[in-house]
Amino acid sequence: MSKSNGNSNGETARLGKQQWTMLVILTLSSFIVVLDFASIFIPLPTIMEDLNGSLDQATWVIAAFTLAFAVFLLPCAALANSLGRRRLFLVGVTVFTVASVACALAPSMEFLVGARVGLGLGAAMIETAVFALIKAAIPGEKQSLAFKVQGTAFIIGGLLGTPLSGVITTSLSWEYIFWLNVMVGVTVILVALRAVPKSEQVQDRQKFDIPGLIFSGSGFFVLFFAIIEGARFGWHSPLILGSFAGSIFLLVLFVLTELRAKEPLIDLSLFDNRLFAVGNSLRWASEFTSMGIYFAISHFLQVQLGYSALVTGLLLMAVIIGGMIVSPITEPLSKRVDGRWLIIPGFLFVAVGSFWLAHVSPESGWTFFLAPLAVAGAGFVAQEGPTINTRDKAVPPEQSDEAWRISYMIFLLGVGLGVSVVSAVWQSQLVSGMTFAGAVNTALLSCIIVALLGAIIAMFLTTKRKIGGTVTHGRS
C-alpha cells in the first residue's frame, strides 16, 4: 500500500527484532482490512438470500464501508495527534473487531449495512495509524523496507480475498468471513499492547475541520443515495432529483470551505500538480471498472448460472492470471518508456475485456468468462504501476502524508461509485422489464465507458517537463 524513498541495501535497511514485531502486527491489521474489503463480493448473493435482501441493499453493503472509510480517513490524521498514534491504532482495531462481530450476527440487511459503516470507521483509523506509526517508529532509511512489506500485504490481501471468501462461503458460511476478522483483530490487540511503542499526544494539535467533515460526508452520502436508490424511487422523482442537486450543493460547499479553512481536511493545492490530479483520476477510473466488473460478474455467475461461491471465486481469479501474464513484460517496460505507452493500452484492454463480458447469456458456460476476465486483468496490471509512479512523482516530501490520504480516499470512492453505478444501471434495466442477462450486459457498459475515459485522460499524463520533489507512498 505504501512506498517510501530510502536505502534498502546494507545494514541501514535491517530492522531490529522489536521493529519487526511491530511491523508484522501493523501489516497484519492492514492485511485483514484489505482482505475484508476484497472478500465481500463473492458471498453477497448468499447474504442476500439468507437475509432476504435486494440488489440495492447489497450495493449498500459495499458502499457503506467504502464511503465511511473514505470520509473518515481524512480527519483521522488530526485524531492521531489528539489520541496518540498507538491509541488510535488500538481503538481502530477494536472498532473493526466489534463491527465484525456485528456483521457476523446481522439479522437483517439493514443491520449489516450499519455494521459495515462501523467497519469502515475502524478501517480508516487502522490505516491512518499504521501509516503514522511506521513513519514515527522506523527511521527514514528503513522505511522503504517497512512500506514494501506493508504493500506486499496489501497485494496479498487483495489476491486472497476472492478465492478465500469462496472457500469459506461454500464450505462453512459467509458469517465466518467476519469471524476471521474477529480472530485476527483480537490477536492484533493482544500483541500490539506490548509490541507497539507508546506515542505521545501532539501538543500543537491540529483542529478538526468539522464543517469540511460534515459537508463532505453528507455530500457523498446523498450522492450515493441518489445513484443506488434511483431505480427504486424513480430517476425523475423529486427525492432523487433533489438528492443529486443537494449532493452538488454540499460538495461545492465542501470545496469552498476547504479553500478558506486554516487547517482543511484536504489540501486542494495538491491538485495544482497536474500529474497528481490526472493520476488520481486514472486510479479512480481503474477501481470503478474493476469493482464494477467484480460486482456484476460474481452475482451473475451465482444467481443466473447457479455456480457456487467457490467456483465463482476461482473463475474470477482469471483476472489475476491475466495480470501475472503481462507483468513480466510491463514491469521492465515501465522503467524505459513514457508511462502513457502502458496506461493507454492498459485501459483499452480493460475496455475490450468489459465489452467481451457484456455479452453474457443464460447459456454461457464457465469457459466463456476466462478470456475476457484475463484480458481485463492484463489491462489493470499494465496501467496500475505507471499510473501510481507518475502520480506520485512530483509530490513534495512535506505534502506526502496529505497526498497519501487524498489518493486513498479517491481510490475508495472509485470502488464505491463503480459498484453503485453498475448496480443502478442494472436495477433500472430490471425495472424496465429487461432480462437478467440483458440487464447485466447493459450495466457493464458503464465500465466500458469509464475505461475508455481513462485512456483519454491518460493522454494528459506526461512527464516531459522536469519535475522536482519526491514521493513516498502509494499502493492505493
Side-chain angles (χ1 to χ4, degrees):
M1 171 175 324
S2 304
K3 297 179 183 178
S4 175
N5 290 333
N7 184 2
S8 61
N9 298 317
E11 199 70 30
T12 58
R14 295 180 183 176
L15 300 176
K17 182 178 180 181
Q18 181 71 17
Q19 290 174 325
W20 266 117
T21 303
M22 183 195 75
L23 181 59
V24 168
I25 289 301
L26 298 181
T27 299
L28 184 60
S29 64
S30 285
F31 169 80
I32 201 64
V33 166
V34 177
L35 184 68
D36 175 89
F37 156 74
S39 297
I40 195 62
F41 291 88
I42 298 300
L44 262 182
T46 304
I47 293 173
M48 289 171 61
E49 183 178 356
D50 289 353
L51 301 182
N52 297 316
S54 58
L55 187 56
D56 63 314
Q57 290 174 325
T59 308
W60 277 115
V61 170
I62 298 174
F65 173 80
T66 56
L67 185 57
F69 195 166
V71 170
F72 286 108
L73 188 68
L74 298 175
C76 275
L79 200 58
N81 292 336
S82 178
L83 294 177
R85 294 177 293 271
R86 179 177 184 267
R87 187 175 298 174
L88 178 66
F89 176 72
L90 292 171
V91 171
V93 177
T94 301
V95 170
F96 191 85
T97 303
V98 172
S100 295
V101 173
C103 288
L105 300 176
S108 66
M109 291 294 285
E110 293 83 0
F111 189 94
L112 178 60
V113 170
R116 293 283 292 176
V117 173
L119 273 180
L121 175 59
M125 294 181 181
I126 290 171
E127 290 294 82
T128 301
V130 166
F131 179 78
L133 283 165
I134 290 177
K135 295 273 286 187
I138 297 179
E141 69 274 9
K142 300 179 182 180
Q143 283 179 17
S144 178
L145 175 61
F147 280 123
K148 188 175 295 185
V149 171
Q150 194 210 13
T152 301
F154 185 94
I155 295 172
I156 294 174
L159 295 179
L160 283 180
T162 300
L164 183 61
S165 62
V167 171
I168 293 175
T169 302
T170 302
S171 61
L172 297 170
S173 178
W174 61 266
E175 293 92 342
Y176 285 89
I177 295 173
F178 297 107
W179 287 123
L180 177 62
N181 292 352
V182 175
M183 290 188 292
V184 174
V186 171
T187 302
V188 167
I189 291 171
L190 293 176
V191 179
L193 288 171
R194 299 187 63 180
V196 177
K198 294 183 179 180
S199 54
E200 299 295 330
Q201 297 174 336
V202 176
Q203 297 300 320
D204 184 19
R205 298 178 186 176
Q206 180 183 348
K207 295 181 180 179
F208 284 103
D209 179 14
I210 295 178
L213 179 61
I214 293 174
F215 290 141
S216 62
S218 57
F220 282 122
F221 170 76
V222 175
L223 175 62
F224 274 70
F225 174 84
I227 295 172
I228 296 172
E229 301 295 346
R232 184 159 71 99
F233 289 100
W235 292 105
H236 297 97
S237 67
L239 176 61
I240 297 303
L241 292 177
S243 296
F244 276 119
S247 67
I248 294 172
F249 177 72
L250 289 166
L251 292 174
V252 168
L253 282 180
F254 170 61
V255 172
L256 294 176
T257 300
E258 298 306 283
L259 290 173
R260 302 179 62 179
K262 292 183 179 180
E263 296 179 354
L265 285 177
I266 293 180
D267 183 0
L268 294 176
S269 68
L270 277 165
F271 290 96
D272 293 336
N273 174 351
R274 181 169 49 81
L275 293 181
F276 183 77
V278 175
N280 273 304
S281 298
L282 294 175
R283 290 298 293 139
W284 176 88
S286 178
E287 293 311 309
F288 183 107
T289 52
S290 62
M291 295 302 105
I293 289 171
Y294 264 65
F295 181 73
I297 297 302
S298 63
H299 203 92
F300 183 81
L301 285 167
Q302 295 177 74
V303 176
Q304 179 72 61
L305 300 185
Y307 290 114
S308 67
L310 174 58
V311 172
T312 300
L314 293 175
L315 286 175
L316 286 173
M317 287 188 69
V319 174
I320 300 171
I321 294 173
M324 292 173 61
I325 292 173
V326 302
S327 181
I329 301 172
T330 59
E331 189 169 341
L333 275 178
S334 65
K335 301 174 183 178
R336 300 178 183 177
V337 301
D338 188 318
R340 290 176 297 176
W341 291 106
L342 293 174
I343 297 170
I344 294 174
F347 274 108
L348 292 178
F349 266 64
V350 173
V352 169
S354 301
F355 180 77
W356 197 341
L357 286 169
H359 289 81
V360 297
S361 72
E363 290 74 38
S364 297
W366 63 270
T367 55
F368 167 83
F369 298 89
L370 298 179
L373 286 172
V375 169
F380 290 129
V381 169
Q383 57 81 22
E384 181 183 21
T387 297
I388 293 174
N389 293 335
T390 308
R391 177 199 66 189
D392 295 343
K393 186 171 295 186
V395 176
E398 64 273 13
Q399 291 183 296
S400 61
D401 292 8
E402 179 76 13
W404 172 79
R405 285 191 295 273
I406 293 174
S407 297
Y408 209 152
M409 180 194 73
I410 293 173
F411 168 90
L412 292 166
L413 290 175
V415 171
L417 285 171
V419 172
S420 299
V421 171
V422 166
S423 174
V425 177
W426 188 352
Q427 292 178 69
S428 296
Q429 296 304 306
L430 290 176
V431 169
S432 68
M434 186 173 284
T435 64
F436 194 91
V440 171
N441 289 332
T442 305
L444 286 171
L445 292 178
S446 60
C447 296
I448 301 170
I449 293 171
V450 172
L452 292 174
L453 180 63
I456 295 171
I457 294 174
M459 297 178 184
F460 299 93
L461 193 69
T462 175
T463 58
K464 288 183 179 179
R465 213 172 28 176
K466 185 172 181 177
I467 303 166
T470 186
V471 178
T472 56
H473 346 285
R475 196 60 251 159
S476 55

